Amino acid sequence: MDFTYTETQDMLRDTLARFLADTYSFDQRQKMIASEAGRDPGIWKALATELGILSAPFAEGHGGMDGSHLENAIMMEELGKVIAIEPYIQTVVIGGGALKAVGGAVADAVIPQIIGGEAIIAFAYAEPQGRYDLANLRTTAKKDGAGYVLNGHKAVVYAAPWATHLLVTARTGGSQREAAGVSLFLVDANAPGITRRDYPTVDGFRASEVYFENCAVPADALLGGEGAALPLVELIVDQACVALGAEAAGVTAKLHEGTLDYSKQRQQFGQPIGRFQVLQHRMADMFIEVEQIKSMTLMGTLKLDLPADERKAAISLAKAKVSRSAKFVGQNAVQTHGGIGITQEYMIGHYFKRATIMENQFGSADHHLSRFEALTLKA
Amino acid sequence: MNLEFSPEELAFQQEVRTFIEENYPADLRGKQDEGDELTKEDFLSWHRILHKKGWVAPAWPVEYGGTGWTSTQRFIFSEEIARADCIRLMPFGLTMVGPVIYTFGSPEQKAKFLPRILSGEDWWCQGYSEPGAGSDLANLRTKAVRDGDHYVINGQKTWTTMAQHADWGFFLCRTNSDAKAQEGISFILVDMKSPGIEVRPIITLGGEHEVNEVWLEDVRVPVENRVYEENKGWTCAKFLLAHERTGIAAIAGSKRGVERIKEIARTESDGDQSLIENPFFRRKIAELEMDLTALEFTELRIIAGEAAGKGPGAEASMLKIKGSEIQQRIMELGLEAVGHYGAPYFRGFGEGDNEHPIGPDYAHRMAPTYFNGRKTTIYGGSNEIQRNIIAKMVLGL
């Protein structure tokens, strides 16, 4: 058992933190969000080329730094501290994770594009009726000659407006909620037959409703076995859950820190409100919750490569705790700030918005506790 | 960074497991299974076995009789102890006064007391709380007045756990009434057989005699029994409270507790299914496992120096708050699990009594355990005091 980071990992964290300190102030972030594209593409490009750190979790053979989940967690925690709106989870964790898992020619082709910052991948997995059930799919992929034809509607696809590729789940067989028959495709985002309705999200990202209408894709768009991709989809969503936990560690650390600073400045009844014991205890509890998010994220990171059932049980516990704790820290940060906590102009509310959306992203606490129960609490 | 045990660590795990299997007293196991109250001899029997093996005080420095184990080995050891459901050793000597003595004590004190703590020859109790000094511990009034080469102690301590068995006690006494509260306290070791000491039982809600009042009237103690400097006893007191960073969360024991709840919930019926299939009950189990896992990895991060809050006591405070809350939730769930059979009261059952208790074997200790367990968020500095400590030491408020 060993809990130390390598020097390379420490450097990765420092490099990214320094870069974000220069480029990602709250005002800079708000400007990116308000811009037409909803982002500053230069940031992603700089992460890829100037800093060269999108390579961190990839194998040397693909031009990477031979890292893995821990590198993703380090990146996401730092990005969380500035509530960055970069498509890291979608592109590197999920897209990269799927490509690493399947390997082969498509991985050899696309991973270097991710590392170089040219490829941005959005994960089109959710559907309006599906909630958090990854197998609940109405989108179909019908065999057509050598390739497939996709039809269906994918919901709230984060980063889709920016994407070069869509990673799409679709049925090649089976009934609507069956495990068998789920397939995964990596599709050119601009392929004919794809239309999008783009919109901003409450936490500062851009997303789309994505419609496939007789969208023809080549045979090599299929990742993994036809109809047998559910385990792969579960794996990458678990990887995303852990990355999200790391982001939550960064977001909630800042929520706590901001609240603490504010409580030392804000005067009421002739003294800083931080002198009041009722607020001191609340902030002590927030501190504990932030620490627990870090602990659960580390646990999840270190258990991502376990056999599937053990992994799923562990990740579900982690995600459920992250959801609960993020809610606690976010709500109490706003409450402690008082009225200013619910204004657009003040920073804390934007961290709260991101924390709130993270609660349910990739599955709510209830969803994950149910999955944990089904796996471990057998009669 | 990884979670795997090395081949050496796995071998160590097997060694510990085998040792427990071969050496844990069978009669002690029987009493635990029956839920009988344990005697002083019961506690000492396992203590002596571990001492003979050299494993009774894993965290102590090697020069004083510790094991020299790595933190991972200590983690493995406590996991195995809990896994085998071994009784918990009395902490007053091993994890409280022992570390104070080897950190602050004189060479003579170390030579005299440490070997007897290890061997179990001396049973220790803790003279901290007083009727007027609970959370406000520094407000204590028990006085030690110098008289030649002795202190004469007068006062009253309370909540003194297992004092009825104690050979020695470590007492916080006021040696300067003019100084600020914390600055006039000394840490004094008292022979519990000294004239003038009276131990009176306090019976707690579960019916146990676990805690006591200790009355001290003109108790004469040699000055050489004071640890560290006169009026600097608060330093020892704080050290003691913050020292056991890892044991305090009682994680291994709580893991065993959750497993036991699951076993019971599989046995108990609820409609035409087992209790573990009840959606509300299983959700509570899942939430317990979630919070216990968070606590476990917080402890592991603290051991590795990864957690925030480097202030003295802050980490221990975090572990104490969550650890005690989880212990209480386990007891609460245990009582809930046994349904009607939480109510029957079986005080006398045990020695010499062959009457079978009413209800399932696992049921009759649930309510007493639950009642007794309300202590966990109160003792060792109440959880409110722990939040004060975090606010002060970590948050700078």
Side-chain angles (χ1 to χ4, degrees), chain A residues 1 281 285 295 321 373, chain B residues 4 283 291 298 387-388:
Chain A
M1 208 160 42
H281 283 198
D285 285 335
S295 300
K321 185 71 191 170
E373 290 162 11
Chain B
E4 288 86 48
R283 179 54 44 95
D291 288 335
T298 301
R387 288 182 170 89
N388 287 350

Side-chain angles (χ1 to χ4, degrees), chain B residues 233-294:
Chain B
W234 193 248
T235 305
C236 304
K238 274 198 307 190
F239 167 84
L240 188 152
L241 289 172
H243 178 72
E244 245 316 322
R245 298 196 304 183
T246 53
I248 199 166
I251 289 160
S254 288
K255 277 190 184 173
R256 175 78 197 111
V258 172
E259 289 309 312
R260 187 175 293 136
I261 300 285
K262 286 197 231 171
E263 288 159 25
I264 293 171
R266 288 192 177 100
T267 309
E268 291 282 327
S269 58
D270 180 57
D272 50 11
Q273 53 189 11
S274 65
L275 183 60
I276 205 166
E277 292 166 277
N278 175 302
F280 302 101
F281 197 84
R282 67 201 261 116
R283 179 54 44 95
K284 283 183 261 195
I285 295 177
E287 286 168 337
L288 252 179
E289 294 209 52
M290 173 180 81
D291 288 335
L292 186 52
T293 306

Side-chain angles (χ1 to χ4, degrees), chain A residues 26-43:
Chain A
F26 178 64
D27 288 341
Q28 285 165 318
R29 176 188 187 266
Q30 296 314 90
K31 281 203 189 90
M32 295 177 207
I33 290 171
S35 71
E36 169 122 21
R39 69 190 277 251
D40 174 359
I43 299 279

